[in-house]
Amino acid sequence: MDTWKEFEHNAISHSAAHHLMAVDTLVRKNGYARVSDVARILNITRGSVSISLKPLKVEGLIEQDENKFIRLGRRGQNLVDILLARRALLTRFLSEILGVDEHQAEVDGCKVEHLISAETAEKLTRLLRFLGEDSSRAKNLASGLLGDHEACDENVSNCPICEDTCLAKLVSSTIGEARTDKLSGDS
Amino acid sequence: MPFSVDRVIEELNRLLAEEVEASLRYLHLMSSLDQENEMVTKLLQETFEETVEHAQILGVKIRGLGGMPRMQIRLDCPPKAVTAQEAISDALTVEEAALEGYQELFDRLKEEGGDHTILSFLETQVELESEHVEELRRLLKENE
């Protein structure tokens, strides 16, 4: 629990999360990480990496030796472990339970791994465990979600979850579509 | 793996991105100083101009090799006032990164007997960037 709490007190940006994960990936793969390697993985410049790593060094999340090799500090490693666990959890939930395409599940998991609270992550773990304990539970849920369950007719008066706006209609649109609508509406 | 011309062009494009991004950082630092500092403003202005010049030379080298310059940068400079010390420190970080980039490419090309003209250009850049780095380190120490 302490690690979860520590993360809550040290929330990091999406960019910082990616830098830490890149260092972790490189160290696991090559045994070391350099600024140039991190830059290649993230497809950004060395300058950007160096600037982004400065506050992470100050916070003790990463360490750099005299040969400029970078490694994660103890807290940095804890953070990466938490982020990886959350990403795995989210990816499994999205792909195995909701039936989201595996690649999309991985992308979405990556987008929110550093944003969800410890509480949400914990509840998500419980849900996955609950469904995993009895395969019929997962099957029932999947058949309800993806099978012959009655499709939404977008009529909010009959809907058990919507009040005055059809949420299903809104959430199934992509942000890109919404922006296009807005732009054409503006013109 | 030996360096093909395409690979050299790709690496020079990385260095181009490095220089273009650095020039924008200097511009941002100049306008973000928490108080007027003639010396630091002048230093950033000069470094900005030299960085733009380096980017232009890289563009010419890339074209000379039959490639096209590619400006792929992702820059996020937060709206935050910086002290003279922080500005010099950031400039040093960026210059060190550029020096490392030139040095790394020079070493790899030299090892593989790369093109003389490119090697000579990279050697000059390493010397120039080393001078900048030294100057910035000295200034950082003086401003402590």
Side-chain angles (χ1 to χ4, degrees), chain A residues 34-36 39-40 42-51 54 68, chain B residues 11 14 17-18 21 25 72 74 89-90 93-94 97 100-101 104 108:
Chain A
R34 296 171 306 176
V35 167
S36 55
R40 270 174 211 279
L42 299 179
N43 200 19
I44 55 176
T45 61
R46 288 177 179 83
S48 259
V49 173
S50 298
I51 291 282
K54 278 173 92 174
K68 302 207 167 179
Chain B
E11 293 299 325
R14 280 183 198 279
E18 209 79 59
E21 201 179 285
R25 275 191 200 280
Q72 192 181 4
R74 282 185 220 162
S89 169
D90 275 4
T93 301
V94 170
E100 198 184 302
E104 203 178 292
R108 281 156 69 189

PDB file of all heavy atoms in Angstrom, chain A residues 34-36 39-40 42-51 54 68, chain B residues 11 14 17-18 21 25 72 74 89-90 93-94 97 100-101 104 108:
ATOM      1  N   ARG A  34      21.279   5.591 -22.247  1.00  0.00           N
ATOM      2  CA  ARG A  34      21.918   6.886 -22.480  1.00  0.00           C
ATOM      3  C   ARG A  34      20.856   7.843 -23.033  1.00  0.00           C
ATOM      4  O   ARG A  34      19.838   7.405 -23.580  1.00  0.00           O
ATOM      5  CB  ARG A  34      23.055   6.761 -23.499  1.00  0.00           C
ATOM      6  CG  ARG A  34      24.205   5.887 -23.035  1.00  0.00           C
ATOM      7  CD  ARG A  34      25.162   5.653 -24.166  1.00  0.00           C
ATOM      8  NE  ARG A  34      24.449   5.122 -25.331  1.00  0.00           N
ATOM      9  CZ  ARG A  34      25.012   4.883 -26.502  1.00  0.00           C
ATOM     10  NH1 ARG A  34      26.282   5.135 -26.675  1.00  0.00           N
ATOM     11  NH2 ARG A  34      24.308   4.403 -27.511  1.00  0.00           N
ATOM     12  N   VAL A  35      21.161   9.129 -22.942  1.00  0.00           N
ATOM     13  CA  VAL A  35      20.210  10.137 -23.432  1.00  0.00           C
ATOM     14  C   VAL A  35      19.857   9.863 -24.893  1.00  0.00           C
ATOM     15  O   VAL A  35      18.691   9.912 -25.295  1.00  0.00           O
ATOM     16  CB  VAL A  35      20.795  11.562 -23.262  1.00  0.00           C
ATOM     17  CG1 VAL A  35      19.983  12.586 -24.041  1.00  0.00           C
ATOM     18  CG2 VAL A  35      20.824  11.951 -21.792  1.00  0.00           C
ATOM     19  N   SER A  36      20.887   9.536 -25.710  1.00  0.00           N
ATOM     20  CA  SER A  36      20.629   9.315 -27.143  1.00  0.00           C
ATOM     21  C   SER A  36      19.689   8.123 -27.370  1.00  0.00           C
ATOM     22  O   SER A  36      18.852   8.154 -28.275  1.00  0.00           O
ATOM     23  CB  SER A  36      21.940   9.119 -27.900  1.00  0.00           C
ATOM     24  OG  SER A  36      22.680   8.088 -27.319  1.00  0.00           O
ATOM     25  N   ALA A  39      16.202   9.193 -26.507  1.00  0.00           N
ATOM     26  CA  ALA A  39      15.709  10.069 -27.578  1.00  0.00           C
ATOM     27  C   ALA A  39      15.206   9.244 -28.759  1.00  0.00           C
ATOM     28  O   ALA A  39      14.176   9.552 -29.357  1.00  0.00           O
ATOM     29  CB  ALA A  39      16.814  11.025 -28.023  1.00  0.00           C
ATOM     30  N   ARG A  40      15.940   8.183 -29.099  1.00  0.00           N
ATOM     31  CA  ARG A  40      15.522   7.334 -30.222  1.00  0.00           C
ATOM     32  C   ARG A  40      14.215   6.615 -29.915  1.00  0.00           C
ATOM     33  O   ARG A  40      13.318   6.538 -30.756  1.00  0.00           O
ATOM     34  CB  ARG A  40      16.609   6.298 -30.532  1.00  0.00           C
ATOM     35  CG  ARG A  40      17.606   6.802 -31.531  1.00  0.00           C
ATOM     36  CD  ARG A  40      18.752   5.827 -31.713  1.00  0.00           C
ATOM     37  NE  ARG A  40      19.955   6.556 -32.040  1.00  0.00           N
ATOM     38  CZ  ARG A  40      20.250   7.003 -33.252  1.00  0.00           C
ATOM     39  NH1 ARG A  40      19.430   6.764 -34.231  1.00  0.00           N
ATOM     40  NH2 ARG A  40      21.351   7.691 -33.473  1.00  0.00           N
ATOM     41  N   LEU A  42      11.845   7.460 -27.862  1.00  0.00           N
ATOM     42  CA  LEU A  42      10.699   8.382 -27.785  1.00  0.00           C
ATOM     43  C   LEU A  42      10.546   9.226 -29.045  1.00  0.00           C
ATOM     44  O   LEU A  42       9.579   9.985 -29.172  1.00  0.00           O
ATOM     45  CB  LEU A  42      10.843   9.299 -26.562  1.00  0.00           C
ATOM     46  CG  LEU A  42      10.873   8.606 -25.197  1.00  0.00           C
ATOM     47  CD1 LEU A  42      11.052   9.635 -24.082  1.00  0.00           C
ATOM     48  CD2 LEU A  42       9.602   7.808 -24.945  1.00  0.00           C
ATOM     49  N   ASN A  43      11.515   9.086 -29.949  1.00  0.00           N
ATOM     50  CA  ASN A  43      11.499   9.842 -31.204  1.00  0.00           C
ATOM     51  C   ASN A  43      11.445  11.355 -30.970  1.00  0.00           C
ATOM     52  O   ASN A  43      10.648  12.068 -31.575  1.00  0.00           O
ATOM     53  CB  ASN A  43      10.318   9.380 -32.078  1.00  0.00           C
ATOM     54  CG  ASN A  43      10.527   9.740 -33.532  1.00  0.00           C
ATOM     55  OD1 ASN A  43      11.671  10.007 -33.958  1.00  0.00           O
ATOM     56  ND2 ASN A  43       9.465   9.793 -34.300  1.00  0.00           N
ATOM     57  N   ILE A  44      12.308  11.789 -30.054  1.00  0.00           N
ATOM     58  CA  ILE A  44      12.442  13.224 -29.792  1.00  0.00           C
ATOM     59  C   ILE A  44      13.945  13.547 -29.771  1.00  0.00           C
ATOM     60  O   ILE A  44      14.770  12.647 -29.917  1.00  0.00           O
ATOM     61  CB  ILE A  44      11.775  13.641 -28.450  1.00  0.00           C
ATOM     62  CG1 ILE A  44      12.324  12.828 -27.282  1.00  0.00           C
ATOM     63  CG2 ILE A  44      10.275  13.512 -28.538  1.00  0.00           C
ATOM     64  CD1 ILE A  44      11.769  13.261 -25.926  1.00  0.00           C
ATOM     65  N   THR A  45      14.287  14.817 -29.589  1.00  0.00           N
ATOM     66  CA  THR A  45      15.708  15.184 -29.627  1.00  0.00           C
ATOM     67  C   THR A  45      16.405  14.888 -28.289  1.00  0.00           C
ATOM     68  O   THR A  45      15.750  14.784 -27.247  1.00  0.00           O
ATOM     69  CB  THR A  45      15.869  16.687 -29.920  1.00  0.00           C
ATOM     70  OG1 THR A  45      15.243  17.415 -28.877  1.00  0.00           O
ATOM     71  CG2 THR A  45      15.259  17.071 -31.258  1.00  0.00           C
ATOM     72  N   ARG A  46      17.740  14.811 -28.380  1.00  0.00           N
ATOM     73  CA  ARG A  46      18.534  14.630 -27.156  1.00  0.00           C
ATOM     74  C   ARG A  46      18.309  15.798 -26.205  1.00  0.00           C
ATOM     75  O   ARG A  46      18.233  15.628 -24.996  1.00  0.00           O
ATOM     76  CB  ARG A  46      20.025  14.585 -27.505  1.00  0.00           C
ATOM     77  CG  ARG A  46      20.491  13.346 -28.193  1.00  0.00           C
ATOM     78  CD  ARG A  46      21.962  13.533 -28.517  1.00  0.00           C
ATOM     79  NE  ARG A  46      22.531  12.378 -29.172  1.00  0.00           N
ATOM     80  CZ  ARG A  46      22.425  12.162 -30.474  1.00  0.00           C
ATOM     81  NH1 ARG A  46      21.783  13.012 -31.244  1.00  0.00           N
ATOM     82  NH2 ARG A  46      22.970  11.095 -31.018  1.00  0.00           N
ATOM     83  N   GLY A  47      18.227  16.992 -26.808  1.00  0.00           N
ATOM     84  CA  GLY A  47      18.022  18.190 -25.997  1.00  0.00           C
ATOM     85  C   GLY A  47      16.751  18.095 -25.167  1.00  0.00           C
ATOM     86  O   GLY A  47      16.744  18.392 -23.978  1.00  0.00           O
ATOM     87  N   SER A  48      15.684  17.641 -25.820  1.00  0.00           N
ATOM     88  CA  SER A  48      14.402  17.497 -25.123  1.00  0.00           C
ATOM     89  C   SER A  48      14.504  16.490 -23.987  1.00  0.00           C
ATOM     90  O   SER A  48      13.989  16.714 -22.895  1.00  0.00           O
ATOM     91  CB  SER A  48      13.325  17.004 -26.093  1.00  0.00           C
ATOM     92  OG  SER A  48      12.530  18.061 -26.512  1.00  0.00           O
ATOM     93  N   VAL A  49      15.179  15.376 -24.288  1.00  0.00           N
ATOM     94  CA  VAL A  49      15.322  14.336 -23.254  1.00  0.00           C
ATOM     95  C   VAL A  49      16.110  14.909 -22.080  1.00  0.00           C
ATOM     96  O   VAL A  49      15.703  14.779 -20.910  1.00  0.00           O
ATOM     97  CB  VAL A  49      16.026  13.078 -23.816  1.00  0.00           C
ATOM     98  CG1 VAL A  49      16.335  12.081 -22.701  1.00  0.00           C
ATOM     99  CG2 VAL A  49      15.152  12.413 -24.879  1.00  0.00           C
ATOM    100  N   SER A  50      17.229  15.567 -22.376  1.00  0.00           N
ATOM    101  CA  SER A  50      18.074  16.107 -21.306  1.00  0.00           C
ATOM    102  C   SER A  50      17.316  17.108 -20.442  1.00  0.00           C
ATOM    103  O   SER A  50      17.421  17.089 -19.216  1.00  0.00           O
ATOM    104  CB  SER A  50      19.311  16.791 -21.886  1.00  0.00           C
ATOM    105  OG  SER A  50      20.081  15.862 -22.587  1.00  0.00           O
ATOM    106  N   ILE A  51      16.532  17.966 -21.108  1.00  0.00           N
ATOM    107  CA  ILE A  51      15.758  18.963 -20.355  1.00  0.00           C
ATOM    108  C   ILE A  51      14.692  18.261 -19.492  1.00  0.00           C
ATOM    109  O   ILE A  51      14.496  18.600 -18.338  1.00  0.00           O
ATOM    110  CB  ILE A  51      15.080  19.974 -21.325  1.00  0.00           C
ATOM    111  CG1 ILE A  51      16.136  20.860 -22.001  1.00  0.00           C
ATOM    112  CG2 ILE A  51      14.013  20.807 -20.630  1.00  0.00           C
ATOM    113  CD1 ILE A  51      16.700  21.993 -21.155  1.00  0.00           C
ATOM    114  N   LYS A  54      16.056  16.574 -16.286  1.00  0.00           N
ATOM    115  CA  LYS A  54      16.587  17.416 -15.191  1.00  0.00           C
ATOM    116  C   LYS A  54      15.727  17.379 -13.926  1.00  0.00           C
ATOM    117  O   LYS A  54      16.242  17.065 -12.849  1.00  0.00           O
ATOM    118  CB  LYS A  54      16.755  18.867 -15.669  1.00  0.00           C
ATOM    119  CG  LYS A  54      18.047  19.081 -16.429  1.00  0.00           C
ATOM    120  CD  LYS A  54      18.112  20.468 -17.022  1.00  0.00           C
ATOM    121  CE  LYS A  54      18.799  21.438 -16.096  1.00  0.00           C
ATOM    122  NZ  LYS A  54      18.984  22.762 -16.738  1.00  0.00           N
ATOM    123  N   LYS A  68      27.661   9.281 -17.927  1.00  0.00           N
ATOM    124  CA  LYS A  68      26.382   9.702 -18.485  1.00  0.00           C
ATOM    125  C   LYS A  68      25.398   8.554 -18.701  1.00  0.00           C
ATOM    126  O   LYS A  68      24.459   8.676 -19.476  1.00  0.00           O
ATOM    127  CB  LYS A  68      26.569  10.499 -19.775  1.00  0.00           C
ATOM    128  CG  LYS A  68      27.438  11.730 -19.564  1.00  0.00           C
ATOM    129  CD  LYS A  68      27.110  12.799 -20.546  1.00  0.00           C
ATOM    130  CE  LYS A  68      27.769  14.101 -20.109  1.00  0.00           C
ATOM    131  NZ  LYS A  68      27.536  15.186 -20.979  1.00  0.00           N
TER     132      LYS A  68
ATOM    133  N   GLU B  11      20.707  10.787 -39.822  1.00  0.00           N
ATOM    134  CA  GLU B  11      21.392  11.287 -38.623  1.00  0.00           C
ATOM    135  C   GLU B  11      21.551  12.807 -38.669  1.00  0.00           C
ATOM    136  O   GLU B  11      21.425  13.484 -37.649  1.00  0.00           O
ATOM    137  CB  GLU B  11      22.773  10.622 -38.474  1.00  0.00           C
ATOM    138  CG  GLU B  11      22.726   9.124 -38.185  1.00  0.00           C
ATOM    139  CD  GLU B  11      22.007   8.798 -36.878  1.00  0.00           C
ATOM    140  OE1 GLU B  11      22.114   9.580 -35.920  1.00  0.00           O
ATOM    141  OE2 GLU B  11      21.318   7.757 -36.815  1.00  0.00           O
ATOM    142  N   ARG B  14      18.410  14.362 -37.673  1.00  0.00           N
ATOM    143  CA  ARG B  14      18.253  14.370 -36.208  1.00  0.00           C
ATOM    144  C   ARG B  14      18.972  15.574 -35.609  1.00  0.00           C
ATOM    145  O   ARG B  14      18.466  16.251 -34.714  1.00  0.00           O
ATOM    146  CB  ARG B  14      18.857  13.095 -35.602  1.00  0.00           C
ATOM    147  CG  ARG B  14      17.976  11.892 -35.693  1.00  0.00           C
ATOM    148  CD  ARG B  14      18.664  10.709 -35.001  1.00  0.00           C
ATOM    149  NE  ARG B  14      18.075   9.471 -35.401  1.00  0.00           N
ATOM    150  CZ  ARG B  14      16.944   8.979 -34.895  1.00  0.00           C
ATOM    151  NH1 ARG B  14      16.314   9.633 -33.953  1.00  0.00           N
ATOM    152  NH2 ARG B  14      16.446   7.844 -35.330  1.00  0.00           N
ATOM    153  N   ALA B  17      17.074  18.731 -36.266  1.00  0.00           N
ATOM    154  CA  ALA B  17      15.975  18.880 -35.295  1.00  0.00           C
ATOM    155  C   ALA B  17      16.521  19.397 -33.970  1.00  0.00           C
ATOM    156  O   ALA B  17      15.923  20.269 -33.324  1.00  0.00           O
ATOM    157  CB  ALA B  17      15.270  17.546 -35.095  1.00  0.00           C
ATOM    158  N   GLU B  18      17.690  18.860 -33.595  1.00  0.00           N
ATOM    159  CA  GLU B  18      18.342  19.266 -32.338  1.00  0.00           C
ATOM    160  C   GLU B  18      18.621  20.783 -32.351  1.00  0.00           C
ATOM    161  O   GLU B  18      18.325  21.492 -31.389  1.00  0.00           O
ATOM    162  CB  GLU B  18      19.664  18.498 -32.246  1.00  0.00           C
ATOM    163  CG  GLU B  18      20.168  18.210 -30.867  1.00  0.00           C
ATOM    164  CD  GLU B  18      19.475  17.038 -30.197  1.00  0.00           C
ATOM    165  OE1 GLU B  18      19.495  15.904 -30.715  1.00  0.00           O
ATOM    166  OE2 GLU B  18      18.906  17.282 -29.134  1.00  0.00           O
ATOM    167  N   GLU B  21      15.302  22.965 -32.558  1.00  0.00           N
ATOM    168  CA  GLU B  21      14.630  22.949 -31.258  1.00  0.00           C
ATOM    169  C   GLU B  21      15.396  23.810 -30.249  1.00  0.00           C
ATOM    170  O   GLU B  21      14.803  24.567 -29.476  1.00  0.00           O
ATOM    171  CB  GLU B  21      14.538  21.502 -30.772  1.00  0.00           C
ATOM    172  CG  GLU B  21      13.464  21.316 -29.746  1.00  0.00           C
ATOM    173  CD  GLU B  21      13.362  19.884 -29.292  1.00  0.00           C
ATOM    174  OE1 GLU B  21      12.836  19.057 -30.042  1.00  0.00           O
ATOM    175  OE2 GLU B  21      13.838  19.600 -28.181  1.00  0.00           O
ATOM    176  N   ARG B  25      14.279  27.089 -28.032  1.00  0.00           N
ATOM    177  CA  ARG B  25      14.435  27.112 -26.567  1.00  0.00           C
ATOM    178  C   ARG B  25      15.135  28.401 -26.121  1.00  0.00           C
ATOM    179  O   ARG B  25      14.744  29.022 -25.137  1.00  0.00           O
ATOM    180  CB  ARG B  25      15.256  25.916 -26.093  1.00  0.00           C
ATOM    181  CG  ARG B  25      14.445  24.684 -25.883  1.00  0.00           C
ATOM    182  CD  ARG B  25      15.229  23.598 -25.162  1.00  0.00           C
ATOM    183  NE  ARG B  25      14.599  22.325 -25.395  1.00  0.00           N
ATOM    184  CZ  ARG B  25      13.512  21.899 -24.736  1.00  0.00           C
ATOM    185  NH1 ARG B  25      12.976  22.634 -23.810  1.00  0.00           N
ATOM    186  NH2 ARG B  25      12.989  20.723 -25.025  1.00  0.00           N
ATOM    187  N   GLN B  72      11.396  17.650 -37.696  1.00  0.00           N
ATOM    188  CA  GLN B  72      10.473  16.936 -36.816  1.00  0.00           C
ATOM    189  C   GLN B  72      10.823  17.259 -35.369  1.00  0.00           C
ATOM    190  O   GLN B  72      11.755  16.686 -34.808  1.00  0.00           O
ATOM    191  CB  GLN B  72      10.568  15.438 -37.066  1.00  0.00           C
ATOM    192  CG  GLN B  72       9.451  14.693 -36.390  1.00  0.00           C
ATOM    193  CD  GLN B  72       9.545  13.199 -36.600  1.00  0.00           C
ATOM    194  OE1 GLN B  72      10.498  12.697 -37.193  1.00  0.00           O
ATOM    195  NE2 GLN B  72       8.566  12.483 -36.103  1.00  0.00           N
ATOM    196  N   ARG B  74       9.280  18.309 -31.344  1.00  0.00           N
ATOM    197  CA  ARG B  74       8.138  18.380 -30.413  1.00  0.00           C
ATOM    198  C   ARG B  74       8.626  19.194 -29.224  1.00  0.00           C
ATOM    199  O   ARG B  74       9.452  18.718 -28.444  1.00  0.00           O
ATOM    200  CB  ARG B  74       7.755  16.978 -29.926  1.00  0.00           C
ATOM    201  CG  ARG B  74       6.972  16.208 -30.934  1.00  0.00           C
ATOM    202  CD  ARG B  74       6.544  14.898 -30.328  1.00  0.00           C
ATOM    203  NE  ARG B  74       6.666  13.854 -31.315  1.00  0.00           N
ATOM    204  CZ  ARG B  74       6.695  12.572 -31.025  1.00  0.00           C
ATOM    205  NH1 ARG B  74       6.657  12.186 -29.773  1.00  0.00           N
ATOM    206  NH2 ARG B  74       6.774  11.687 -31.970  1.00  0.00           N
ATOM    207  N   SER B  89      21.814  27.244 -17.208  1.00  0.00           N
ATOM    208  CA  SER B  89      21.830  25.795 -16.979  1.00  0.00           C
ATOM    209  C   SER B  89      21.084  25.043 -18.093  1.00  0.00           C
ATOM    210  O   SER B  89      21.559  24.018 -18.596  1.00  0.00           O
ATOM    211  CB  SER B  89      21.215  25.499 -15.609  1.00  0.00           C
ATOM    212  OG  SER B  89      20.996  24.131 -15.472  1.00  0.00           O
ATOM    213  N   ASP B  90      19.918  25.580 -18.496  1.00  0.00           N
ATOM    214  CA  ASP B  90      19.156  24.941 -19.578  1.00  0.00           C
ATOM    215  C   ASP B  90      19.921  25.025 -20.897  1.00  0.00           C
ATOM    216  O   ASP B  90      19.955  24.057 -21.671  1.00  0.00           O
ATOM    217  CB  ASP B  90      17.778  25.601 -19.731  1.00  0.00           C
ATOM    218  CG  ASP B  90      16.755  25.000 -18.770  1.00  0.00           C
ATOM    219  OD1 ASP B  90      17.151  24.147 -17.950  1.00  0.00           O
ATOM    220  OD2 ASP B  90      15.573  25.378 -18.835  1.00  0.00           O
ATOM    221  N   THR B  93      22.572  22.453 -20.877  1.00  0.00           N
ATOM    222  CA  THR B  93      22.011  21.108 -21.091  1.00  0.00           C
ATOM    223  C   THR B  93      21.786  20.856 -22.589  1.00  0.00           C
ATOM    224  O   THR B  93      22.139  19.797 -23.117  1.00  0.00           O
ATOM    225  CB  THR B  93      20.660  20.971 -20.338  1.00  0.00           C
ATOM    226  OG1 THR B  93      20.904  21.212 -18.966  1.00  0.00           O
ATOM    227  CG2 THR B  93      20.061  19.602 -20.507  1.00  0.00           C
ATOM    228  N   VAL B  94      21.215  21.862 -23.259  1.00  0.00           N
ATOM    229  CA  VAL B  94      20.907  21.728 -24.682  1.00  0.00           C
ATOM    230  C   VAL B  94      22.193  21.671 -25.519  1.00  0.00           C
ATOM    231  O   VAL B  94      22.327  20.864 -26.444  1.00  0.00           O
ATOM    232  CB  VAL B  94      19.996  22.910 -25.127  1.00  0.00           C
ATOM    233  CG1 VAL B  94      19.854  22.950 -26.620  1.00  0.00           C
ATOM    234  CG2 VAL B  94      18.624  22.779 -24.479  1.00  0.00           C
ATOM    235  N   ALA B  97      23.843  18.334 -25.165  1.00  0.00           N
ATOM    236  CA  ALA B  97      23.132  17.324 -25.960  1.00  0.00           C
ATOM    237  C   ALA B  97      23.544  17.411 -27.426  1.00  0.00           C
ATOM    238  O   ALA B  97      23.765  16.388 -28.088  1.00  0.00           O
ATOM    239  CB  ALA B  97      21.627  17.497 -25.816  1.00  0.00           C
ATOM    240  N   GLU B 100      27.072  16.087 -27.830  1.00  0.00           N
ATOM    241  CA  GLU B 100      27.040  14.618 -27.764  1.00  0.00           C
ATOM    242  C   GLU B 100      26.586  14.035 -29.110  1.00  0.00           C
ATOM    243  O   GLU B 100      27.139  13.050 -29.587  1.00  0.00           O
ATOM    244  CB  GLU B 100      26.073  14.218 -26.653  1.00  0.00           C
ATOM    245  CG  GLU B 100      26.245  12.795 -26.158  1.00  0.00           C
ATOM    246  CD  GLU B 100      25.173  12.481 -25.130  1.00  0.00           C
ATOM    247  OE1 GLU B 100      25.086  13.187 -24.118  1.00  0.00           O
ATOM    248  OE2 GLU B 100      24.411  11.525 -25.365  1.00  0.00           O
ATOM    249  N   GLY B 101      25.579  14.692 -29.705  1.00  0.00           N
ATOM    250  CA  GLY B 101      25.059  14.217 -30.993  1.00  0.00           C
ATOM    251  C   GLY B 101      26.105  14.287 -32.093  1.00  0.00           C
ATOM    252  O   GLY B 101      26.311  13.326 -32.836  1.00  0.00           O
ATOM    253  N   GLU B 104      29.014  11.790 -31.311  1.00  0.00           N
ATOM    254  CA  GLU B 104      28.632  10.393 -31.532  1.00  0.00           C
ATOM    255  C   GLU B 104      28.649  10.047 -33.025  1.00  0.00           C
ATOM    256  O   GLU B 104      29.207   9.022 -33.422  1.00  0.00           O
ATOM    257  CB  GLU B 104      27.235  10.181 -30.955  1.00  0.00           C
ATOM    258  CG  GLU B 104      26.938   8.735 -30.609  1.00  0.00           C
ATOM    259  CD  GLU B 104      25.552   8.612 -30.007  1.00  0.00           C
ATOM    260  OE1 GLU B 104      25.347   9.101 -28.884  1.00  0.00           O
ATOM    261  OE2 GLU B 104      24.673   8.040 -30.677  1.00  0.00           O
ATOM    262  N   ARG B 108      31.319   7.485 -34.980  1.00  0.00           N
ATOM    263  CA  ARG B 108      30.833   6.309 -35.721  1.00  0.00           C
ATOM    264  C   ARG B 108      31.238   6.367 -37.187  1.00  0.00           C
ATOM    265  O   ARG B 108      31.656   5.365 -37.766  1.00  0.00           O
ATOM    266  CB  ARG B 108      29.308   6.194 -35.582  1.00  0.00           C
ATOM    267  CG  ARG B 108      28.943   5.583 -34.223  1.00  0.00           C
ATOM    268  CD  ARG B 108      27.579   5.949 -33.804  1.00  0.00           C
ATOM    269  NE  ARG B 108      26.549   5.328 -34.639  1.00  0.00           N
ATOM    270  CZ  ARG B 108      25.269   5.648 -34.568  1.00  0.00           C
ATOM    271  NH1 ARG B 108      24.866   6.572 -33.718  1.00  0.00           N
ATOM    272  NH2 ARG B 108      24.390   5.052 -35.320  1.00  0.00           N
TER     273      ARG B 108
END
